[in-house]
Amino acid sequence: MRVTKAVLAAFIAQYGMIGGQRSVLCLLCVSILLLHLSSLTDACFLWPCPFAASVCCNHCSFISPQPRLSLIKQSQYSSVLKETLRDMIQDDERCDAMYAEHDGVYFDYSRQQATLETMDLLFDLAEKQELTQRIKGMFNGEKINFTEDRAVLHTALRASREDIGTVFVDDLDAIGEVHDVLDQIKEFTEAFRSGKITGYTGKRLRNIISVGIGGSYLGPEFLHEVLKTEEEGINSSLGYQLRFLANVDPVDVERTCADLDPEETLIIVVSKTFYTAETMLNARTMRQWLWDFMGDDIDVVRKHVVACSSVSATENVKAFGIDTENYFFRFWDWVGGRYSVCGAAGAVPISLLYGYDLFEKFLEGARSMDQ
C-alpha cells in the first residue's frame, strides 16, 4: 500500500478529502481556519473543503458572531503578539500534541501559529456547531450544498461494494451507480491494456491524452505525478504514456501531440456537460488531429475518443461522434470537479496507464481515511 499512502499524503496537502472530527482533514480545516482568523467576515476561504461545505450550510452559521469566536480570535491574537512561530516550535509539549496520524499518513500542523489553547477552543467550536453530525449527513447523501440543492458525495466514489444500497440521492442508489461505472472502467482498461481494443487502423493503443480543465484534469494529473515515480507505477506503466491538455493554446496542443502516433493514441474528453468552452475547443482540435492523419471516417472518432461526462450530456457526447455504448463513462452532479479524481475523470486515464488494480489501491486508501 506504499503507493496509495504516498498519494493520500499528497492529496491531504492539496485537497483535504478525509473524515472524522479529530481526523486529518478536520485538523487541516482547523489549520486553514487559523490562517484566516483575521478575515472571518468571509466564509469563502473554506469553500474548497467538503467539511467546510457541511458546516457552512444553514447560511454559513459556522462563522456567525458568537462569544466562542471572540475567544478564539483573542487567543490567536495574543499568541501572535507574545510569541513568534520560531518560539512556538521550541515547545515540545505543543509540538507533540499538534499532529495526527492514520494508516501511515502523518500530518504535522505544529507549524501553524496557534497555541494548544487555540486548538482546544477550535475543537470546542466544532462540537458546538455539531460538525460530526454534519459530516455524517454528508456521507449519507444529505443535500448540504444548499446553493445548488445537491448532495456532496465524493466519498461514495470510493465506498465499498458492501455499502451498495445504503446511500440514496433522489431515489438513486449512489454507491451502486459508482460500482457499475467502476466495473465498466475495469473491463475497458483490461481490454485496452491487453490489446483487445485497437485503433482505427488496427494498431495497438499506447498513448493517452486526457482533455479537460480545472478539477477535470488537476486531480488526475496530481495523482499521475505521484504514481509515475513510485516503483509499482513505473513498472505498470511501461509501454504507455499519459499526457494532459488543459490550456487553449496552440503551443500546448503541439507539445501534447509531439512525437505521438495518432494511430496509437486514445483521447479522453472530460467534461460534465460536454459543453465547457475550453475543453470542447481542445477536444475538437484533437479530433481534427486524428482526422488529418486517418481521414474523417465515423469510426476514427468511435475508436480513438472516449468521454467522461454526465448522463444528462449523453446527446452532446453522441453528437461529437463518440460511441456512447462502449466509450462513455458517466459521473454525477453530486461530485464536484475538484473531488472527481476518484470517479471516472481520474479512474479512466489513471487505470489505462497504470492498470485498474493500482487505481483500486488508491480507492482503498481513500476509503480507509474516510472511515
Side-chain angles (χ1 to χ4, degrees):
M1 294 290 288
R2 185 170 65 90
V3 172
T4 300
K5 290 170 183 173
V7 172
L8 284 168
F11 263 90
I12 291 167
Q14 181 72 6
Y15 289 105
M17 297 170 63
I18 307 168
Q21 181 179 328
R22 289 181 182 262
S23 70
V24 179
L25 178 56
C26 185
L27 296 172
L28 180 63
C29 293
V30 167
S31 299
I32 294 171
L33 179 59
L34 288 170
L35 291 172
H36 295 273
L37 277 173
S38 61
S39 58
L40 280 171
T41 55
D42 186 356
C44 292
F45 68 84
L46 283 172
W47 76 268
C49 170
F51 273 19
S54 70
V55 296
C56 279
C57 62
N58 297 327
H59 306 288
C60 296
S61 61
F62 184 68
I63 60 161
S64 47
Q66 52 183 290
R68 289 186 187 85
L69 265 183
S70 298
L71 285 172
I72 294 170
K73 292 177 74 173
Q74 210 171 36
S75 171
Q76 178 67 4
Y77 291 150
S78 63
S79 67
V80 170
L81 289 173
K82 288 179 182 178
E83 295 182 278
T84 65
L85 181 57
R86 181 174 296 177
D87 295 328
M88 288 182 177
I89 61 176
Q90 304 306 314
D91 183 343
D92 291 338
E93 180 185 357
R94 173 186 171 278
C95 292
D96 288 344
M98 295 178 71
Y99 80 94
E101 188 172 13
H102 176 71
D103 200 11
V105 177
Y106 183 88
F107 178 63
D108 177 2
Y109 59 100
S110 63
R111 269 58 182 170
Q112 299 294 333
Q113 198 158 2
T115 65
L116 293 178
E117 179 190 8
T118 308
M119 298 306 302
D120 287 339
L121 289 168
L122 284 168
F123 282 123
D124 179 61
L125 177 61
E127 290 174 5
K128 298 300 182 184
Q129 292 299 118
E130 300 181 340
L131 178 59
T132 300
Q133 293 89 321
R134 296 185 187 222
I135 293 167
K136 289 179 180 176
M138 180 185 77
F139 274 69
N140 292 332
E142 293 179 16
K143 295 184 178 181
I144 63 170
N145 178 352
F146 65 90
T147 56
E148 297 177 302
D149 191 32
R150 289 176 178 173
V152 181
L153 276 175
H154 48 280
T155 52
L157 297 178
R158 56 255 190 171
S160 169
R161 195 177 294 272
E162 296 173 359
D163 295 326
I164 291 174
T166 62
V167 178
F168 289 84
V169 179
D170 297 327
D171 297 324
L172 182 73
D173 181 353
I175 298 175
E177 281 279 303
V178 166
H179 279 277
D180 284 346
V181 174
L182 288 176
D183 289 343
Q184 180 193 8
I185 292 170
K186 181 179 181 180
E187 182 180 351
F188 182 81
T189 296
E190 291 173 351
F192 174 90
R193 291 174 63 86
S194 68
K196 183 178 179 180
I197 291 177
T198 61
Y200 175 71
T201 62
K203 283 189 176 182
R204 186 166 179 171
L205 298 167
R206 300 182 181 277
N207 311 313
I208 307 144
I209 299 177
S210 184
V211 180
I213 196 168
S216 296
Y217 106 93
L218 280 171
E221 184 179 43
F222 195 77
L223 178 53
H224 170 52
E225 286 297 314
V226 175
L227 291 175
K228 73 180 186 181
T229 56
E230 294 287 338
E231 183 178 356
E232 190 173 351
I234 292 170
N235 292 334
S236 61
S237 63
L238 288 175
Y240 301 95
Q241 56 180 317
L242 170 63
R243 299 180 184 178
F244 293 89
L245 177 61
N247 286 343
V248 183
D249 184 339
V251 174
D252 271 5
V253 173
E254 183 63 31
R255 287 172 178 165
T256 301
C257 298
D259 69 32
L260 296 185
D261 182 352
E263 296 179 42
E264 298 179 345
T265 303
L266 185 72
I267 312 295
I268 305 167
V269 182
V270 186
S271 172
K272 182 177 287 188
T273 62
F274 230 70
Y275 195 70
T276 309
E278 298 89 343
T279 298
M280 297 317 298
L281 177 57
N282 278 335
R284 289 191 294 271
T285 301
M286 296 311 302
R287 181 176 61 182
Q288 189 61 53
W289 178 69
L290 295 173
W291 283 344
D292 287 345
F293 282 87
M294 292 179 282
D296 60 0
D297 187 275
I298 188 173
D299 281 338
V300 170
V301 174
R302 289 176 65 86
K303 288 183 173 290
H304 286 267
V305 185
V306 306
C308 298
S309 189
S310 170
V311 174
S312 61
T314 302
E315 290 305 313
N316 292 342
V317 174
K318 188 180 295 185
F320 192 84
I322 294 171
D323 176 1
T324 53
E325 291 295 321
N326 302 298
Y327 284 54
F328 176 39
F329 306 95
R330 66 189 184 278
F331 50 87
W332 310 269
D333 63 9
W334 31 261
V335 178
R338 69 186 55 236
Y339 305 116
S340 62
V341 66
C342 291
V348 175
I350 297 301
S351 296
L352 290 176
L353 180 65
Y354 297 106
Y356 183 81
D357 289 346
L358 186 52
F359 182 77
E360 193 169 42
K361 287 185 180 180
F362 166 67
L363 294 183
E364 289 170 359
R367 186 185 310 137
S368 168
M369 303 306 284
D370 285 339
Q371 293 169 349

